[in-house]
Amino acid sequence: MAEYMDVHRGMRGITAEQLDEAHRADLAVEREEGVHFKQAWADPDSGVVYCLSEAPSAEAVQRVHERAGHKADEIHPVPLTV
Amino acid sequence: MAEYMDVHRGMRGITAEQLDEAHRADLAVEREEGVHFKQAWADPDSGVVYCLSEAPSAEAVQRVHERAGHKADEIHPVPLTV
């Protein structure tokens, strides 16, 4: 398992409720892919959302996001953290 | 105070030691700008680094990074988190 940071763009105007709903949609299906979404941060003005997860691969992260209805634009493994 | 996520690109090959050193350089000057860098994540393969901070403004975040010798490429307030 490794940590991944993924980025969604084009989410301009996202509300706290929509972020919460999107996160819960990920949590509802993540286990089947061996993924866990730990945290997410959103900027409604620029429409950027960052998601931090633990997962077996970037593909598994994307599969969860796709099944939850919000494909990521970028996914990076982040093996280094401080 | 608000949370900010900033992104550095072009850090391909960054090591754990270099990430730690860069983070400590931020911590050494952050107080003068009222900023606190909470966490950072790096992908040595793509050269992307994400930093999460608490700060009074995006400009204050950038001033700390500039003084520490590593200007950010993007800085976003992230008022929503889950």
Side-chain angles (χ1 to χ4, degrees):
Chain A
M1 295 286 274
E3 280 198 303
Y4 291 83
M5 187 74 84
D6 68 74
V7 184
H8 305 253
R9 303 184 192 281
M11 308 293 279
R12 204 160 277 133
I14 188 171
T15 64
E17 292 68 28
Q18 287 167 335
L19 180 65
D20 193 56
E21 190 179 345
H23 186 59
R24 278 187 286 110
D26 287 327
L27 296 182
V29 297
E30 67 178 17
R31 201 164 310 172
E32 295 158 42
E33 296 287 353
V35 174
H36 178 53
F37 283 95
K38 301 165 81 173
Q39 220 171 332
W41 299 266
D43 174 13
D45 284 349
S46 67
V48 178
V49 177
Y50 301 93
C51 300
L52 181 68
S53 62
E54 269 188 347
S57 68
E59 291 72 22
V61 172
Q62 189 66 291
R63 280 195 297 270
V64 174
H65 275 334
E66 279 180 332
R67 291 175 58 189
H70 45 250
K71 197 173 166 184
D73 294 300
E74 257 181 75
I75 304 177
H76 295 287
V78 282
L80 307 183
T81 184
V82 67
Chain B
M1 296 286 274
E3 279 198 304
Y4 290 83
M5 187 76 84
D6 68 73
V7 185
H8 305 253
R9 303 185 193 280
M11 309 292 280
R12 205 160 276 133
I14 187 170
T15 65
E17 291 68 26
Q18 288 168 334
L19 180 65
D20 193 56
E21 190 179 346
H23 187 60
R24 278 187 286 110
D26 288 327
L27 296 182
V29 297
E30 67 178 18
R31 202 165 309 171
E32 296 158 41
E33 296 287 352
V35 173
H36 177 52
F37 282 94
K38 300 165 81 172
Q39 219 171 334
W41 299 266
D43 175 14
D45 284 348
S46 68
V48 177
V49 177
Y50 300 94
C51 301
L52 181 68
S53 61
E54 270 189 346
S57 68
E59 291 73 21
V61 172
Q62 189 64 293
R63 280 194 297 270
V64 174
H65 275 335
E66 279 180 332
R67 291 175 58 189
H70 44 251
K71 197 173 167 185
D73 294 301
E74 257 180 73
I75 304 177
H76 294 287
V78 283
L80 306 183
T81 185
V82 68

Short mmCIF file of all heavy atoms in Angstrom, two decimals, chain B residues 16-56:
data_model
loop_
_atom_site.label_atom_id
_atom_site.label_comp_id
_atom_site.label_asym_id
_atom_site.label_seq_id
_atom_site.Cartn_x
_atom_site.Cartn_y
_atom_site.Cartn_z
N ALA B 16 14.08 11.84 0.20
CA ALA B 16 13.47 12.08 1.51
C ALA B 16 14.25 13.15 2.27
O ALA B 16 13.65 14.03 2.91
CB ALA B 16 13.43 10.77 2.31
N GLU B 17 15.56 13.11 2.16
CA GLU B 17 16.41 14.08 2.86
C GLU B 17 16.18 15.49 2.31
O GLU B 17 16.10 16.46 3.06
CB GLU B 17 17.89 13.72 2.69
CG GLU B 17 18.33 12.45 3.42
CD GLU B 17 17.73 11.16 2.83
OE1 GLU B 17 17.40 11.13 1.62
OE2 GLU B 17 17.56 10.19 3.59
N GLN B 18 16.06 15.61 0.99
CA GLN B 18 15.84 16.93 0.38
C GLN B 18 14.46 17.49 0.74
O GLN B 18 14.31 18.68 0.98
CB GLN B 18 16.00 16.84 -1.14
CG GLN B 18 17.46 16.66 -1.56
CD GLN B 18 17.61 16.28 -3.02
OE1 GLN B 18 16.71 15.70 -3.63
NE2 GLN B 18 18.76 16.59 -3.59
N LEU B 19 13.46 16.60 0.79
CA LEU B 19 12.12 17.05 1.18
C LEU B 19 12.15 17.54 2.63
O LEU B 19 11.59 18.59 2.96
CB LEU B 19 11.10 15.91 1.02
CG LEU B 19 9.67 16.27 1.41
CD1 LEU B 19 9.09 17.34 0.47
CD2 LEU B 19 8.77 15.03 1.41
N ASP B 20 12.82 16.79 3.47
CA ASP B 20 12.92 17.15 4.88
C ASP B 20 13.66 18.48 5.05
O ASP B 20 13.23 19.35 5.81
CB ASP B 20 13.67 16.03 5.61
CG ASP B 20 13.54 16.15 7.11
OD1 ASP B 20 12.39 16.18 7.60
OD2 ASP B 20 14.59 16.24 7.79
N GLU B 21 14.72 18.64 4.29
CA GLU B 21 15.51 19.87 4.36
C GLU B 21 14.68 21.08 3.88
O GLU B 21 14.71 22.15 4.50
CB GLU B 21 16.76 19.70 3.47
CG GLU B 21 17.80 20.77 3.61
CD GLU B 21 19.01 20.51 2.70
OE1 GLU B 21 19.14 19.36 2.19
OE2 GLU B 21 19.80 21.44 2.49
N ALA B 22 13.94 20.89 2.79
CA ALA B 22 13.10 21.98 2.27
C ALA B 22 12.02 22.35 3.28
O ALA B 22 11.73 23.53 3.50
CB ALA B 22 12.45 21.54 0.95
N HIS B 23 11.43 21.33 3.91
CA HIS B 23 10.39 21.58 4.90
C HIS B 23 10.97 22.33 6.10
O HIS B 23 10.38 23.29 6.60
CB HIS B 23 9.79 20.24 5.34
CG HIS B 23 8.60 20.37 6.25
ND1 HIS B 23 7.44 21.03 5.89
CD2 HIS B 23 8.39 19.92 7.51
CE1 HIS B 23 6.57 20.98 6.88
NE2 HIS B 23 7.12 20.31 7.88
N ARG B 24 12.16 21.92 6.53
CA ARG B 24 12.78 22.61 7.67
C ARG B 24 13.16 24.04 7.32
O ARG B 24 13.08 24.94 8.17
CB ARG B 24 13.98 21.81 8.18
CG ARG B 24 13.52 20.68 9.12
CD ARG B 24 14.64 19.93 9.80
NE ARG B 24 15.34 19.05 8.87
CZ ARG B 24 16.57 19.23 8.41
NH1 ARG B 24 17.29 20.26 8.81
NH2 ARG B 24 17.12 18.37 7.58
N ALA B 25 13.50 24.30 6.07
CA ALA B 25 13.79 25.68 5.62
C ALA B 25 12.53 26.54 5.70
O ALA B 25 12.58 27.71 6.08
CB ALA B 25 14.35 25.66 4.21
N ASP B 26 11.37 25.94 5.35
CA ASP B 26 10.10 26.67 5.49
C ASP B 26 9.81 26.95 6.97
O ASP B 26 9.45 28.06 7.34
CB ASP B 26 8.94 25.84 4.91
CG ASP B 26 8.96 25.77 3.39
OD1 ASP B 26 9.40 26.75 2.76
OD2 ASP B 26 8.52 24.74 2.85
N LEU B 27 9.97 25.93 7.80
CA LEU B 27 9.65 26.07 9.22
C LEU B 27 10.53 27.14 9.88
O LEU B 27 10.10 27.83 10.80
CB LEU B 27 9.85 24.73 9.96
CG LEU B 27 8.94 23.58 9.54
CD1 LEU B 27 9.23 22.34 10.40
CD2 LEU B 27 7.47 23.93 9.64
N ALA B 28 11.74 27.30 9.37
CA ALA B 28 12.69 28.25 9.97
C ALA B 28 12.26 29.70 9.79
O ALA B 28 12.63 30.56 10.58
CB ALA B 28 14.08 28.03 9.39
N VAL B 29 11.47 29.98 8.74
CA VAL B 29 11.10 31.38 8.49
C VAL B 29 9.59 31.63 8.53
O VAL B 29 9.14 32.78 8.46
CB VAL B 29 11.65 31.88 7.12
CG1 VAL B 29 13.18 31.85 7.12
CG2 VAL B 29 11.12 31.07 5.95
N GLU B 30 8.80 30.57 8.65
CA GLU B 30 7.35 30.72 8.51
C GLU B 30 6.71 31.63 9.54
O GLU B 30 5.74 32.33 9.25
CB GLU B 30 6.67 29.34 8.53
CG GLU B 30 6.78 28.64 9.88
CD GLU B 30 6.07 27.29 9.94
OE1 GLU B 30 5.76 26.71 8.88
OE2 GLU B 30 5.83 26.82 11.07
N ARG B 31 7.27 31.63 10.76
CA ARG B 31 6.61 32.37 11.85
C ARG B 31 6.52 33.86 11.55
O ARG B 31 5.53 34.50 11.89
CB ARG B 31 7.35 32.11 13.17
CG ARG B 31 6.46 32.39 14.39
CD ARG B 31 7.04 31.80 15.67
NE ARG B 31 7.38 30.38 15.47
CZ ARG B 31 8.06 29.66 16.37
NH1 ARG B 31 8.49 30.21 17.50
NH2 ARG B 31 8.32 28.38 16.14
N GLU B 32 7.55 34.38 10.89
CA GLU B 32 7.57 35.82 10.59
C GLU B 32 6.44 36.22 9.64
O GLU B 32 6.07 37.39 9.56
CB GLU B 32 8.92 36.20 9.98
CG GLU B 32 10.06 36.00 10.97
CD GLU B 32 11.41 35.86 10.27
OE1 GLU B 32 11.66 36.60 9.32
OE2 GLU B 32 12.21 34.99 10.69
N GLU B 33 5.90 35.24 8.91
CA GLU B 33 4.79 35.52 7.98
C GLU B 33 3.45 35.02 8.52
O GLU B 33 2.43 35.08 7.83
CB GLU B 33 5.06 34.86 6.62
CG GLU B 33 6.27 35.40 5.89
CD GLU B 33 6.05 36.81 5.32
OE1 GLU B 33 4.92 37.32 5.36
OE2 GLU B 33 7.04 37.38 4.83
N GLY B 34 3.46 34.47 9.74
CA GLY B 34 2.22 33.96 10.32
C GLY B 34 1.72 32.70 9.64
O GLY B 34 0.53 32.39 9.67
N VAL B 35 2.65 31.96 9.03
CA VAL B 35 2.30 30.75 8.27
C VAL B 35 2.75 29.52 9.07
O VAL B 35 3.72 29.58 9.81
CB VAL B 35 3.03 30.77 6.90
CG1 VAL B 35 2.83 29.46 6.14
CG2 VAL B 35 2.55 31.95 6.06
N HIS B 36 2.02 28.42 8.91
CA HIS B 36 2.55 27.14 9.42
C HIS B 36 2.39 26.05 8.37
O HIS B 36 1.27 25.76 7.94
CB HIS B 36 1.86 26.72 10.72
CG HIS B 36 2.37 25.38 11.19
ND1 HIS B 36 3.72 25.12 11.36
CD2 HIS B 36 1.72 24.23 11.50
CE1 HIS B 36 3.87 23.86 11.76
NE2 HIS B 36 2.68 23.31 11.85
N PHE B 37 3.51 25.47 7.99
CA PHE B 37 3.48 24.36 7.05
C PHE B 37 3.25 23.07 7.82
O PHE B 37 4.06 22.69 8.66
CB PHE B 37 4.77 24.30 6.23
CG PHE B 37 4.78 25.31 5.15
CD1 PHE B 37 5.36 26.56 5.34
CD2 PHE B 37 4.13 25.06 3.94
CE1 PHE B 37 5.32 27.52 4.34
CE2 PHE B 37 4.10 26.01 2.94
CZ PHE B 37 4.69 27.24 3.14
N LYS B 38 2.12 22.43 7.54
CA LYS B 38 1.69 21.28 8.32
C LYS B 38 2.20 19.96 7.78
O LYS B 38 2.52 19.04 8.52
CB LYS B 38 0.15 21.25 8.35
CG LYS B 38 -0.46 22.50 8.96
CD LYS B 38 -1.94 22.61 8.66
CE LYS B 38 -2.74 21.75 9.61
NZ LYS B 38 -4.21 21.99 9.45
N GLN B 39 2.20 19.83 6.45
CA GLN B 39 2.55 18.55 5.86
C GLN B 39 2.98 18.76 4.41
O GLN B 39 2.60 19.76 3.78
CB GLN B 39 1.34 17.62 5.93
CG GLN B 39 1.72 16.18 6.26
CD GLN B 39 0.51 15.32 6.54
OE1 GLN B 39 -0.54 15.81 6.94
NE2 GLN B 39 0.64 14.02 6.33
N ALA B 40 3.76 17.82 3.90
CA ALA B 40 4.15 17.88 2.48
C ALA B 40 4.26 16.45 1.96
O ALA B 40 4.58 15.52 2.71
CB ALA B 40 5.47 18.61 2.32
N TRP B 41 3.95 16.30 0.66
CA TRP B 41 3.97 15.00 0.00
C TRP B 41 4.73 15.17 -1.31
O TRP B 41 4.49 16.14 -2.04
CB TRP B 41 2.55 14.54 -0.33
CG TRP B 41 1.65 14.34 0.83
CD1 TRP B 41 1.43 13.17 1.51
CD2 TRP B 41 0.81 15.33 1.45
NE1 TRP B 41 0.50 13.39 2.50
CE2 TRP B 41 0.12 14.69 2.50
CE3 TRP B 41 0.60 16.69 1.23
CZ2 TRP B 41 -0.79 15.36 3.32
CZ3 TRP B 41 -0.30 17.37 2.05
CH2 TRP B 41 -0.98 16.70 3.08
N ALA B 42 5.57 14.21 -1.64
CA ALA B 42 6.36 14.33 -2.87
C ALA B 42 6.34 13.06 -3.70
O ALA B 42 6.35 11.95 -3.17
CB ALA B 42 7.81 14.67 -2.51
N ASP B 43 6.32 13.28 -5.02
CA ASP B 43 6.43 12.20 -6.00
C ASP B 43 7.73 12.41 -6.78
O ASP B 43 7.78 13.24 -7.70
CB ASP B 43 5.24 12.24 -6.95
CG ASP B 43 5.36 11.22 -8.08
OD1 ASP B 43 6.22 10.32 -7.97
OD2 ASP B 43 4.60 11.33 -9.06
N PRO B 44 8.81 11.72 -6.41
CA PRO B 44 10.10 11.91 -7.09
C PRO B 44 10.04 11.61 -8.58
O PRO B 44 10.78 12.21 -9.35
CB PRO B 44 11.03 10.92 -6.38
CG PRO B 44 10.37 10.60 -5.08
CD PRO B 44 8.89 10.71 -5.34
N ASP B 45 9.15 10.69 -9.01
CA ASP B 45 9.10 10.32 -10.42
C ASP B 45 8.58 11.45 -11.30
O ASP B 45 9.14 11.74 -12.36
CB ASP B 45 8.21 9.08 -10.62
CG ASP B 45 8.93 7.82 -10.17
OD1 ASP B 45 10.15 7.88 -9.94
OD2 ASP B 45 8.26 6.78 -10.03
N SER B 46 7.49 12.09 -10.88
CA SER B 46 6.94 13.18 -11.69
C SER B 46 7.48 14.53 -11.24
O SER B 46 7.30 15.53 -11.94
CB SER B 46 5.41 13.18 -11.62
OG SER B 46 4.99 13.54 -10.32
N GLY B 47 8.11 14.57 -10.06
CA GLY B 47 8.68 15.82 -9.58
C GLY B 47 7.67 16.79 -9.00
O GLY B 47 7.93 18.00 -8.92
N VAL B 48 6.52 16.29 -8.57
CA VAL B 48 5.49 17.14 -7.97
C VAL B 48 5.55 17.06 -6.45
O VAL B 48 5.69 15.97 -5.89
CB VAL B 48 4.08 16.71 -8.46
CG1 VAL B 48 3.00 17.55 -7.80
CG2 VAL B 48 3.99 16.84 -9.96
N VAL B 49 5.47 18.21 -5.80
CA VAL B 49 5.42 18.27 -4.34
C VAL B 49 4.19 19.09 -3.94
O VAL B 49 3.95 20.16 -4.50
CB VAL B 49 6.69 18.93 -3.75
CG1 VAL B 49 6.59 19.06 -2.24
CG2 VAL B 49 7.94 18.13 -4.13
N TYR B 50 3.42 18.57 -3.00
CA TYR B 50 2.25 19.26 -2.46
C TYR B 50 2.56 19.67 -1.02
O TYR B 50 3.07 18.85 -0.26
CB TYR B 50 1.03 18.32 -2.43
CG TYR B 50 0.64 17.79 -3.77
CD1 TYR B 50 1.11 16.56 -4.21
CD2 TYR B 50 -0.21 18.52 -4.60
CE1 TYR B 50 0.75 16.06 -5.46
CE2 TYR B 50 -0.58 18.02 -5.84
CZ TYR B 50 -0.10 16.79 -6.26
OH TYR B 50 -0.45 16.31 -7.48
N CYS B 51 2.24 20.91 -0.67
CA CYS B 51 2.42 21.37 0.71
C CYS B 51 1.10 21.89 1.26
O CYS B 51 0.42 22.69 0.60
CB CYS B 51 3.41 22.53 0.79
SG CYS B 51 5.05 22.16 0.18
N LEU B 52 0.76 21.47 2.46
CA LEU B 52 -0.45 21.94 3.14
C LEU B 52 -0.02 22.89 4.25
O LEU B 52 0.84 22.54 5.07
CB LEU B 52 -1.20 20.74 3.74
CG LEU B 52 -2.50 21.04 4.46
CD1 LEU B 52 -3.58 21.53 3.49
CD2 LEU B 52 -2.99 19.79 5.21
N SER B 53 -0.64 24.06 4.27
CA SER B 53 -0.27 25.05 5.28
C SER B 53 -1.49 25.75 5.85
O SER B 53 -2.58 25.69 5.27
CB SER B 53 0.65 26.11 4.67
OG SER B 53 -0.02 26.79 3.63
N GLU B 54 -1.28 26.40 6.98
CA GLU B 54 -2.24 27.35 7.52
C GLU B 54 -1.59 28.71 7.40
O GLU B 54 -0.42 28.87 7.80
CB GLU B 54 -2.52 27.07 8.99
CG GLU B 54 -3.67 26.12 9.20
CD GLU B 54 -4.06 26.01 10.65
OE1 GLU B 54 -3.28 26.46 11.51
OE2 GLU B 54 -5.14 25.47 10.92
N ALA B 55 -2.32 29.67 6.85
CA ALA B 55 -1.69 30.96 6.57
C ALA B 55 -2.73 32.06 6.47
O ALA B 55 -3.92 31.80 6.26
CB ALA B 55 -0.93 30.87 5.24
N PRO B 56 -2.28 33.30 6.61
CA PRO B 56 -3.20 34.44 6.47
C PRO B 56 -3.55 34.74 5.01
O PRO B 56 -4.58 35.36 4.74
CB PRO B 56 -2.46 35.60 7.12
CG PRO B 56 -1.02 35.23 7.08
CD PRO B 56 -0.96 33.72 7.10
#
